[in-house]
Amino acid sequence: MFKRALTYCLIFIVFLTALQWLFRPEIRWGDNSGLTVIAFFVFIFVEWITKTNKKAKS
C-alpha cells in the first residue's frame, strides 16, 4: 500500500514540477511538496477505507 502511494506521489511531484518549469518563471517547491504530502495521505486513507469495506462485505 505504501509503495504504491509513494510511486504515485513521486509521479505527481515530477508532473507538477515539470508543468511549473515549462509554464512559469519559478518553481514553487513549497506548494509542490505540500500538495504531494496531502495527496499521499489522501491516497493512504482511500486505500484503507477500501480495504475496510471489502473486509466488512466478506
Side-chain angles (χ1 to χ4, degrees):
M1 177 166 53
F2 288 108
K3 187 176 179 181
R4 273 189 20 195
L6 287 175
T7 304
Y8 288 138
C9 288
L10 180 63
I11 292 169
F12 185 67
I13 196 166
V14 168
F15 179 73
L16 284 176
T17 304
L19 282 178
Q20 288 181 3
W21 181 69
L22 290 172
F23 298 113
R24 293 181 184 232
E26 61 185 25
I27 297 174
R28 298 180 182 172
W29 292 105
D31 292 346
N32 289 354
S33 58
L35 285 173
T36 303
V37 169
I38 291 170
F40 176 78
F41 286 119
V42 167
F43 184 83
I44 294 295
F45 180 72
V46 168
E47 287 290 317
W48 177 63
I49 292 295
T50 305
K51 282 188 178 184
T52 304
N53 286 340
K54 285 181 182 178
K55 286 181 182 178
K57 288 180 181 179
S58 297

